[in-house]
Amino acid sequence: MNLNTLHAQGRAALHRHWHASPAQRLWHAWRDELLGLLPERWRQRLTGRMPLQVLHWPLDEPADPTPARVLVLPRSEVLVQTLTLPLAAARDLQNVLGFELDKYTPYRADQVSFCAQVLGQGGSTLKVRLVVILRQRLEQILAECAGFTLLGVDVRDGERLGVNLLPEALRPKRERGGRLNRGLLLACAGLLLTLMVLWLQSRDALLIEMQAQVRQQQAQIGQLQQVRDTLANTQGAAHYLIARKAAQPALASLIADLSHCLPDGTWLEELEVDDGGQVTLAGQSTQASALIGQLKQCHSLDDPQFQGVIQPDGETGKDRFSLRAHLHQEASHASSAE
């Protein structure tokens, strides 16, 4: 026995167990209840099933062979028995009845086609309806119905029993997964795609928000850097001014120094000190030509020079002069230290 045979037998056993189990009936009842709430057209689209056409035996008149049909046999064509079996027989009901068919009918299993239908269970027993038809008779009936597409062979005993005596080899192959399954699969795929799109949109929105926050923080950092640069420049300028101021002698010290350096008979009309430390002196003196030598002895000034020529003043009898010199930096430090 090879693996393919074992696999086929396992699938067949699983199929029989499923069809004999209460879970299968519960599933079909729940599904039919839900489908019953839908309009007929929607129900047909979801299940892929059109209303079945019933073909009654014996054939009374010619019928359209196009639609698929279910052949319904009268009770007289079959043997129907209700059996009570152990509950364990439900696991492999078809094979159990096949082995013991001669106990319940006058025929062997190879002479008939049969179908077992579970009616219910109580305690440790199982109530089963057994429907049997001679294989030769079934083949004759099917031969006369050869022009029709049969989906199953049922039996009417007042009402249809809901069995199928059509051999497995003659049953139409069902497409795996009906429209309902395909619809559910497409719905799940659509929901999954929607979730992915929403997740991507949420991530993109979060990324955009984070980028905006980063740009805002970068702008704040830029503004802070500008403030720091401005503060540094201001501090540098302040330090420069403080250093320049500290490097230059105080104006009072300069005036005191000039009062000692300038000879008698000399007075100043103009004294100007610019930011570069250049000093401009203008005034009158009786000894204007000797002022350069006198100012060189002044510790606060360096490099004194006349600006222009010395001109006599007729009103005062003195000479007008204009001098330019530079503040002496070392002198300013000495003055500051004092």
Side-chain angles (χ1 to χ4, degrees):
M1 183 177 297
N2 55 26
L3 292 178
N4 292 333
T5 304
L6 291 175
H7 180 67
Q9 291 180 353
R11 289 185 57 185
L14 183 62
H15 182 76
R16 289 192 299 270
H17 292 165
W18 165 249
H19 281 279
S21 66
Q24 190 259 3
R25 295 193 299 275
L26 180 62
W27 159 253
H28 282 290
W30 179 71
R31 183 197 61 185
D32 294 341
E33 186 72 20
L34 291 179
L35 291 175
L37 300 175
L38 300 176
E40 181 66 24
R41 181 178 299 178
W42 289 16
R43 185 161 59 248
Q44 293 175 8
R45 288 183 178 180
L46 288 175
T47 59
R49 298 176 182 174
M50 300 299 292
L52 293 178
Q53 301 290 333
V54 177
L55 186 65
H56 294 279
W57 181 264
L59 302 178
D60 297 331
E61 57 184 14
D64 183 9
T66 303
R69 298 173 181 270
V70 173
L71 179 62
V72 179
L73 303 179
R75 172 68 173 77
S76 58
E77 293 286 351
V78 299
L79 174 64
V80 179
Q81 289 194 27
T82 301
L83 309 176
T84 301
L85 301 176
L87 187 61
R91 298 180 180 178
D92 198 0
L93 185 59
Q94 200 75 7
N95 283 339
V96 169
L97 291 176
F99 284 122
E100 299 183 354
L101 194 62
D102 54 355
K103 292 174 55 178
Y104 309 114
T105 68
Y107 309 106
R108 299 188 309 273
D110 58 351
Q111 295 177 317
V112 297
S113 292
F114 67 94
C115 178
Q117 186 181 41
V118 177
L119 300 178
Q121 68 180 51
S124 60
T125 60
L126 190 69
K127 188 176 182 181
V128 178
R129 175 187 289 153
L130 177 63
V131 182
V132 181
I133 185 173
L134 285 173
R135 181 168 299 178
Q136 184 178 3
R137 177 57 180 161
L138 180 60
E139 291 175 354
Q140 293 175 356
I141 294 174
L142 294 178
E144 295 188 28
C145 300
F148 298 96
T149 301
L150 296 181
L151 298 178
V153 177
D154 201 353
V155 176
R156 180 180 297 277
D157 187 8
E159 61 181 9
R160 288 175 55 180
L161 301 183
V163 297
N164 189 2
L165 293 171
L166 188 66
E168 288 286 345
L170 300 179
R171 296 180 185 181
K173 300 296 183 181
R174 286 189 177 182
E175 182 182 355
R176 292 188 177 181
R179 292 186 180 180
L180 179 60
N181 293 335
R182 289 197 299 270
L184 292 176
L185 182 60
L186 291 176
C188 291
L191 290 175
L192 181 60
L193 181 61
T194 302
L195 289 176
M196 292 177 62
V197 171
L198 292 177
W199 179 75
L200 290 176
Q201 290 180 349
S202 175
R203 191 183 67 171
D204 291 342
L206 181 60
L207 180 60
I208 293 174
E209 182 180 358
M210 293 177 64
Q211 290 176 345
Q213 292 178 356
V214 169
R215 287 193 295 268
Q216 182 179 3
Q217 292 177 358
Q218 288 177 344
Q220 293 176 353
I221 292 174
Q223 294 176 357
L224 180 60
Q225 187 63 38
Q226 290 179 357
V227 172
R228 293 180 62 182
D229 293 342
T230 303
L231 180 60
N233 294 334
T234 303
Q235 290 178 345
H239 292 159
Y240 173 75
L241 293 176
I242 292 173
R244 289 295 302 272
K245 186 175 181 180
Q248 295 177 359
L251 185 59
S253 176
L254 176 61
I255 293 174
D257 199 12
L258 288 174
S259 64
H260 289 87
C261 296
L262 293 175
D264 294 337
T266 302
W267 71 86
L268 296 177
E269 296 176 345
E270 180 182 352
L271 174 60
E272 181 181 353
V273 181
D274 63 13
D275 294 337
Q278 182 172 299
V279 181
T280 302
L281 303 172
Q284 298 182 23
S285 176
T286 57
Q287 305 177 29
S289 58
L291 289 178
I292 296 298
Q294 294 292 330
L295 290 177
K296 287 183 178 180
Q297 298 177 6
C298 188
H299 298 291
S300 300
L301 298 177
D302 289 332
D303 192 21
Q305 295 179 0
F306 282 113
Q307 295 292 319
V309 296
I310 299 174
Q311 296 180 354
D313 189 332
E315 294 181 1
T316 61
K318 298 181 180 181
D319 296 329
R320 288 187 173 277
F321 64 90
S322 177
L323 291 171
R324 181 174 295 175
H326 292 280
L327 290 175
H328 186 60
Q329 300 297 325
E330 294 181 358
S332 67
H333 289 301
S335 300
S336 300
E338 293 176 358

